[in-house]
């Protein structure tokens, strides 16, 4: 493999074996975007002459920014498309125009101050180009960061906007990335949804005008995941030029695509400019979140596998990054708030009997919380309800061979809590206005250091005083009534972003203080399933919908970008609590096994037969979890367009594979299914559940499945090279 950053004939070329990213410094010192895609030779690439049909660059009619592809377009400076950033000086100037000033190449990849980002373990893995462009009249400098990797077909981008003027400036918009694609026919996919219906695949054609998606919820949200797939029309799983852009950020985001009169398409991703206004005093700077851009010349599957490996090994961190995740039992759907110590131990007894490794005590163990209307913020164990201390309970779990884990919702406060009675001003709300509640709760103002310190102090005490080896970090409402008593009138527009910086500060402090704890992110299920959270927590509860049929969609969509190792997935009771469906135990398990696997039901109420079946399933998962966590992932049948769903994992050396096939909706007089496998060695011979077949037969002809008859029928194929 090779990798490098060259600067010749006023062109920057970032490359590895397979990709190129090319930027030109024009004669007018503008930063023009020339190319991003499969490897090319930079000397052969030239910018198109941006001839403007409606003169706007008075002194040179053959050159106009309005028709040229750009790296970080300014607002109001002869380009009428969406700007990458917008600013205003204290004198009201707001039409900056960036000109190239200097550049440097850094070996490795510097971290982003206070923000999560992809990292390298050794500087030899990547190189980073930093281009500085400036506008002296407006007093602004922008540093554009681009990292290229030797082993990944990825460019990471972010920008830093520096106030070099004599007084303050205001930023009204600061995107992480702006990319101009040449005229063409394009499509895009985004992962849309709702609570308990997250990450559904929505595919659209790019049309003239502006289109996109965003979050204004103070969190990345259930509704729009901060991830975009932009591709040549007609691309599919195995074919086509595909660009995946994932924003490493957990707050308000915006993805924008704009096709204008020259049929080129501008694609941007970054913090949502909605109610965003950031004041920079002289010398201060603003760092945007990182955008991770994957290029694939081989369709969606290649893009996904690049994200999976990158995020699994160079975004997730800590002790648990490479470790097999314990099979867990979570008591939430089994008991909700209504539990006693005896009940928990009865569930634990059954769990340990069937080989489960971790007991997670969910909501309801603190304050006087027996329903969702109180006590958030009062992070003190409820000894009466727990029949003793948490430490004692953890010890009793440990005696049963189980690790012990605990639920928190550290960003929230209930109006009915001691914390709120003592510090009503710690909650986000507008003075003299009755705040809107969500799930009966308010959000703590994480822009305030004393609020963050309180949470760190409470969690540290609890985590330090009991043998807690797992934490579920929940967040169950979105932001409204945004105002902080801590920020001045001129800084209220900084609130959303400062909240996320505060959150990252707390997450960083707690995860660093407790490196051995396995953390799982959650936000009413998948309300904050983003790559920002994965930097702190190597897994994320994918959805509050535990129905296996619904999970086929949710997990299929999520697999576009997030690796299976990061996806929390549980077997729950029937009828399912969200949909009322009666899926078989076999189907519920087949679907939940595709991630960090667990159970979420009252095991103590099941009969011996079911527990025996589960015991075998747990053993099966344990013997295959390494492959699920680390294997190359292929989507075989799409549940959004088919009655079936199927997917598979292949070990890196192609010697083993695990294939899942599930009937989503059965119908009479059904067809035989040819399930064509992917990613195997075509020259090798394999056994499929014991039967010999060649790699090329399995991939070209497939496995023939004759008679799937009922909803939820499923088959797991173990493929082994002979
Ligand atoms: C929402 C989560 O997604 C659930 O799994 C559960 O932890 C509840 N919150 C508890 O209130």
């Amino acid at each position: 493999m090779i990798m490098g950053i060259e600067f010749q004939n006023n062109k920057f070329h970032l490359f590895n074996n397979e990709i190129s990213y090319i930027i030109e410094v024009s004669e007018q010192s503008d930063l023009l975007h020339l190319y991003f895609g499969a490897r090319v030779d930079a000397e052969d690439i030239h910018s198109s002459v941006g001839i403007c049909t409606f003169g706007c660059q008075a002194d040179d009619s053959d050159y106009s920014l309005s028709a040229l592809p750009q790296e970080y377009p300014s607002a109001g400076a002869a380009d009428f498309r969406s700007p990458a950033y917008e600013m205003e000086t204290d004198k009201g100037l707001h039409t900056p125009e960036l000109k190239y000033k200097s550049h440097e190449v850094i070996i490795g990849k510097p971290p982003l101050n206070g923000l999560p980002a992809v990292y390298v373990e050794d500087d030899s893995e990547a190189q980073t180009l930093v281009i500085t462009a400036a506008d002296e009249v407006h007093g602004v400098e922008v540093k554009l960061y681009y990292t290229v990797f030797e082993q990944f077909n990825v460019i990471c981008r972010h920008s830093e906007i520096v106030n070099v003027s004599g007084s303050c400036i205001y930023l009204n918009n600061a995107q992480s990335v702006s990319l101009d694609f040449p005229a063409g026919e394009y499509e895009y996919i985004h992962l849309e949804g709702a609570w308990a219906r997250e990450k559904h695949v929505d595919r659209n054609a790019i049309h003239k005008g502006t289109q996109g998606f965003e979050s204004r919820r103070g969190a990345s949200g259930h509704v729009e995941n901060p991830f975009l797939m932009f591709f040549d029309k007609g691309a599919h799983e195995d074919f086509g030029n595909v660009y995946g852009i994932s924003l490493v950020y957990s707050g308000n985001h915006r993805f924008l695509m704009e096709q204008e009169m020259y049929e080129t398409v501008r694609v941007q991703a970054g913090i949502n400019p909605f109610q965003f206004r950031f004041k920079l005093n002289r010398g201060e700077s603003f760092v945007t979140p990182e955008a991770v851009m994957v290029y694939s010349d081989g369709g969606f599957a290649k893009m996904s596998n690049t994200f999976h490996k990158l995020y699994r090994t160079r975004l997730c961190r800590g002790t648990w990054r490479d470790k097999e995740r314990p099979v867990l039992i979570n008591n939430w759907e089994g008991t909700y708030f209504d539990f006693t110590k005896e009940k928990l131990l009865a569930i634990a007894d059954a769990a340990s009997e069937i080989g489960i490794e971790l007991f997670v005590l969910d909501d309801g163990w603190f304050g006087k919380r027996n329903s969702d209307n109180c006590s958030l913020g009062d992070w003190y164990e409820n000894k009466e309800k727990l029949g003793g201390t948490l430490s004692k309970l953890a010890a009793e779990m440990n005696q049963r061979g189980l690790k012990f884990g605990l639920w928190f919702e550290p960003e929230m406060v209930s109006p009915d809590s001691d914390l709120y009675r003592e510090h009503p001003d710690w909650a986000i709300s507008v003075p003299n206005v009755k705040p809107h509640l969500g799930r009966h709760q308010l959000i703590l103002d994480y822009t305030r250091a004393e609020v963050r310190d309180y949470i760190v102090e409470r969690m540290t005490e609890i985590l330090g005083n009991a043998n807690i080896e797992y934490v579920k970090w929940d967040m169950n409402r979105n932001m409204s009534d945004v105002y902080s008593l801590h920020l001045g009138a001129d800084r209220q527009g900084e609130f959303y972003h400062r909240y996320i910086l505060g959150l990252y500060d707390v997450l960083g402090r707690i995860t660093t203080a407790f490196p051995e704890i396995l953390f799982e992110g959650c936000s009413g299920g998948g309300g904050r399933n983003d790559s920002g959270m994965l930097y702190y927590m190597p897994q994320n509860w994918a959805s509050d919908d535990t129905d296996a049929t619904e999970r086929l969609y949710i997990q299929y969509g999520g697999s576009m970008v997030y690796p299976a190792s990061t996806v929390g997935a549980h077997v729950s009771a029937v009828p399912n609590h969200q949909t009322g469906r009666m899926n078989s135990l076999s189907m519920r398990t087949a679907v939940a096994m595709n991630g960090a696997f667990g159970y979420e039901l009252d095991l103590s109420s099941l009969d011996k037969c079911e527990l025996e079946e589960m015991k075998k399933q747990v053993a099966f998962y344990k013997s295959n979890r390494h492959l699920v966590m680390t294997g190359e992932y292929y989507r075989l049948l799409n549940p959004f367009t088919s009655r079936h769903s199927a997917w598979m994992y292949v070990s890196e050396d192609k010697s083993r594979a695990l294939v899942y096939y599930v009937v989503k909706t059965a119908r009479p007089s059904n067809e035989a299914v040819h399930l064509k496998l992917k990613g195997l060695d075509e020259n090798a011979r394999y056994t499929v559940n014991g039967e010999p077949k060649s790699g090329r037969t399995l991939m070209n002809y497939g496995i023939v499945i004759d008679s799937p008859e009922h909803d939820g029928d499923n088959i797991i194929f173990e493929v082994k090279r002979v």
Side-chain angles (χ1 to χ4, degrees):
M1 288 292 276
I2 52 159
M3 163 199 49
I5 296 173
E6 287 171 353
F7 185 53
Q8 272 171 16
N9 301 326
N10 285 333
K11 274 181 277 185
F12 294 101
H13 185 195
L14 295 87
F15 60 90
N16 66 19
N17 263 351
E18 296 189 23
I19 63 169
S20 289
Y21 191 106
I22 305 175
I23 302 161
E24 182 177 56
V25 183
S26 72
E27 276 175 29
Q28 293 78 356
S29 296
D30 295 311
L31 290 170
L32 303 182
H33 175 71
L34 294 197
Y35 179 75
F36 178 32
R39 179 69 196 267
V40 293
D41 297 308
E43 63 267 29
D44 301 337
I45 305 259
H46 302 283
S47 63
S48 50
V49 184
I51 297 182
C52 179
T53 50
F54 197 67
C56 47
Q57 203 92 1
D59 58 346
D60 183 354
S61 59
D62 276 351
Y63 179 91
S64 169
L65 286 177
S66 70
L68 284 166
Q70 294 176 67
E71 281 302 321
Y72 207 66
S74 302
D79 176 4
F80 306 103
R81 293 166 287 178
S82 300
Y85 72 103
E86 289 163 87
M87 61 160 289
E88 201 183 315
T89 68
D90 63 346
K91 307 218 164 29
L93 302 181
H94 56 113
T95 59
E97 185 165 9
L98 295 177
K99 298 288 177 185
Y100 168 81
K101 188 173 170 198
S102 62
H103 72 270
E104 68 172 313
V105 172
I106 299 170
I107 303 301
K109 182 176 190 295
L112 273 69
N113 199 4
L115 284 164
V118 165
Y119 59 88
V120 290
E121 285 196 328
D122 189 292
D123 282 347
S124 64
E125 294 174 17
Q127 292 184 12
T128 302
L129 169 67
V130 189
I131 303 178
T132 303
D135 178 318
E136 281 173 16
V137 175
H138 287 69
V140 65
E141 248 179 39
V142 177
K143 291 180 196 297
L144 300 174
Y145 286 76
Y146 303 82
T147 301
V148 61
F149 300 80
E150 187 174 22
Q151 300 289 342
F152 297 101
N153 292 342
V154 169
I155 300 285
C156 286
R157 276 189 67 174
H158 75 277
S159 60
E160 185 181 345
I161 298 161
V162 192
N163 176 1
V164 291
S165 75
S167 53
C168 76
I169 64 171
Y170 291 91
L171 269 181
N172 297 322
N173 178 12
Q175 295 300 292
S176 298
V177 60
S178 185
L179 270 178
D180 284 340
F181 287 88
E185 287 188 276
Y186 299 102
E187 292 179 84
Y188 75 96
I189 282 177
H190 62 131
L191 304 178
E192 59 84 30
W195 171 76
R197 207 185 66 224
E198 302 87 345
K199 298 179 283 284
H200 279 222
V201 171
D202 185 40
R203 182 173 181 152
N204 301 280
I206 292 288
H207 57 76
K208 283 276 181 66
T210 302
Q211 55 238 267
F213 52 93
E214 64 185 337
S215 167
R216 297 178 185 161
R217 294 167 178 271
S220 50
H222 297 88
V223 181
E224 295 287 358
N225 201 272
F227 171 65
L228 165 72
M229 287 160 69
F230 179 84
F231 44 89
D232 285 351
K233 184 180 172 186
H236 56 69
E237 280 296 329
D238 310 306
F239 169 81
N241 286 313
V242 181
Y243 300 84
I245 303 182
S246 165
L247 192 68
V248 188
Y249 192 59
S250 310
N252 285 349
H253 59 80
R254 186 188 71 172
F255 286 72
L256 176 146
M257 289 151 282
E258 182 182 12
Q259 186 169 44
E260 44 68 81
M261 60 184 182
Y262 299 109
E263 319 246 323
T264 60
V265 182
R266 177 162 290 175
V267 175
Q268 292 179 342
I271 291 177
N272 197 331
F274 169 73
Q275 295 193 337
F276 174 88
R277 181 174 160 87
F278 213 97
K279 182 178 180 182
L280 295 179
N281 285 323
R282 188 178 166 189
E284 286 180 346
S285 63
F286 182 86
V287 178
T288 72
E290 177 163 275
V292 177
M293 308 191 297
V294 169
Y295 167 71
S296 158
D297 61 357
F300 306 158
K302 188 170 175 185
M303 177 210 67
S304 296
N305 276 311
T306 304
F307 272 118
H308 290 183
K309 191 161 181 194
L310 181 77
Y311 279 1
R312 189 164 51 73
T313 63
R314 292 294 181 270
L315 178 68
C316 294
R317 300 174 300 162
T319 317
W320 283 95
R321 185 188 79 175
D322 302 323
K323 273 202 200 168
E324 292 183 4
R325 308 293 159 71
V327 179
L328 67 80
I329 170 74
N330 177 306
N331 72 308
W332 179 242
E333 287 197 15
T335 66
Y336 295 105
F337 293 103
D338 186 16
F339 57 81
T340 58
K341 181 177 179 182
E342 289 63 42
K343 183 71 189 172
L344 299 179
L345 292 179
I347 295 175
D349 284 335
S352 105
E353 191 55 38
I354 64 173
I356 287 175
E357 299 156 311
L358 161 68
F359 185 100
V360 178
L361 176 56
D362 211 280
D363 197 352
W365 56 267
F366 54 93
K368 55 181 177 65
R369 188 148 164 110
N370 287 312
S371 87
D372 62 9
N373 64 8
C374 71
S375 297
L376 292 170
D378 295 345
W379 299 108
Y380 296 90
E381 62 207 340
N382 181 343
K383 291 195 193 106
E384 206 182 318
K385 186 169 178 183
L386 294 173
T389 60
L390 276 171
S391 161
K392 179 86 190 346
L393 184 60
E396 293 193 54
M397 294 296 172
N398 294 162
Q399 277 159 18
R400 287 164 172 78
L402 297 166
K403 295 178 192 295
F404 181 62
L406 201 58
W407 177 97
F408 287 89
E409 195 176 358
E411 295 155 72
M412 299 292 153
V413 62
S414 307
D416 180 7
S417 67
D418 293 340
L419 182 66
Y420 186 74
R421 282 182 280 274
E422 205 177 322
H423 296 288
D425 58 314
W426 282 14
I428 299 170
S429 65
V430 180
N432 306 318
V433 177
K434 195 170 162 220
H436 297 87
L437 298 176
R439 208 192 188 203
H440 316 290
Q441 63 204 46
L442 295 166
I443 307 181
L444 286 171
D445 183 352
Y446 265 38
T447 69
R448 298 173 68 158
E450 67 272 39
V451 174
R452 302 198 299 272
D453 289 347
Y454 168 81
I455 291 300
V456 171
E457 185 261 311
R458 289 309 318 133
M459 288 189 73
T460 303
E461 187 183 308
I462 288 160
L463 297 177
N465 283 334
N467 188 21
I468 294 166
E469 297 181 75
Y470 163 105
V471 164
K472 177 174 172 187
W473 183 296
D474 204 350
M475 193 281 273
N476 281 301
R477 66 158 290 182
N478 289 152
M479 263 176 215
S480 62
D481 312 283
V482 163
Y483 185 86
S484 173
L485 290 170
H486 161 74
L487 298 171
D490 55 345
R491 291 199 177 269
Q492 293 298 330
E494 300 173 18
F495 183 84
Y496 283 111
H497 183 59
R498 285 196 181 278
Y499 178 91
I500 296 297
L501 292 178
L503 169 66
Y504 290 151
D505 169 53
V506 174
L507 291 176
R509 283 154 72 185
I510 299 215
T511 53
T512 306
F514 296 95
E516 301 301 324
I517 291 181
L518 169 60
F519 285 84
E520 176 157 350
C522 173
S523 172
R528 222 164 40 188
N529 268 198
D530 56 66
S531 45
M533 292 305 285
L534 290 182
Y535 183 72
Y536 301 97
M537 310 190 166
Q539 56 191 61
N540 239 322
W541 178 227
S543 178
D544 269 357
D545 198 334
T546 57
D547 173 60
T549 307
E550 294 295 310
R551 278 292 184 124
L552 288 175
Y553 302 111
I554 293 166
Q555 293 175 196
Y556 180 93
S559 78
M560 292 291 166
V561 52
Y562 305 114
S565 60
T566 67
V567 177
H570 301 169
V571 173
S572 62
V574 285
N576 178 267
H577 294 192
Q578 293 79 40
T579 63
R581 282 207 186 90
M582 295 292 297
N583 284 317
S584 66
L585 177 58
S586 145
M587 184 212 183
R588 284 178 276 149
T589 312
V591 175
M593 276 186 187
N594 294 280
F597 176 56
Y599 291 84
E600 186 162 335
L601 72 175
D602 179 4
L603 290 174
S604 68
S605 67
L606 301 186
D607 63 36
K608 257 198 149 46
C609 257
E610 273 181 304
L611 289 171
E612 271 311 307
E613 195 180 337
M614 286 178 172
K615 191 173 183 169
K616 288 190 201 126
Q617 290 161 338
V618 169
F620 178 82
Y621 176 76
K622 285 181 183 169
S623 63
N624 285 293
R625 66 181 151 191
H626 183 73
L627 182 55
V628 171
M629 297 289 138
T630 62
E632 296 247 302
Y633 183 80
Y634 295 95
R635 291 170 290 269
L636 304 179
L637 295 173
N638 177 353
F640 290 96
T641 55
S642 147
R643 299 191 298 108
H644 322 266
S645 189
W647 59 94
M648 67 185 286
Y649 306 89
V650 185
S651 63
E652 214 164 348
D653 65 359
K654 299 184 187 299
S655 67
R656 287 194 61 214
L658 197 61
V659 183
Y660 286 84
Y661 165 78
V662 180
V663 179
K664 188 191 70 183
T665 325
R667 68 173 184 199
S669 308
N670 47 309
E671 73 284 11
V673 175
H674 282 242
L675 190 60
K676 294 182 186 174
L677 306 193
K678 295 181 184 176
L680 300 175
D681 176 352
E682 60 176 9
N683 295 314
R685 290 209 55 89
Y686 292 90
T687 55
V688 180
N689 288 354
E691 218 184 294
K693 299 255 191 268
S694 75
R696 65 170 69 92
T697 304
L698 289 169
M699 293 196 289
N700 295 322
Y701 178 74
I703 300 172
V704 180
I705 302 169
D706 279 328
S707 55
E709 282 172 353
H710 298 123
D711 285 3
D713 279 359
N714 67 87
I715 311 174
I716 302 173
F717 298 98
E718 289 185 82
V719 182
K720 290 182 187 147
R721 187 157 54 197
V722 285

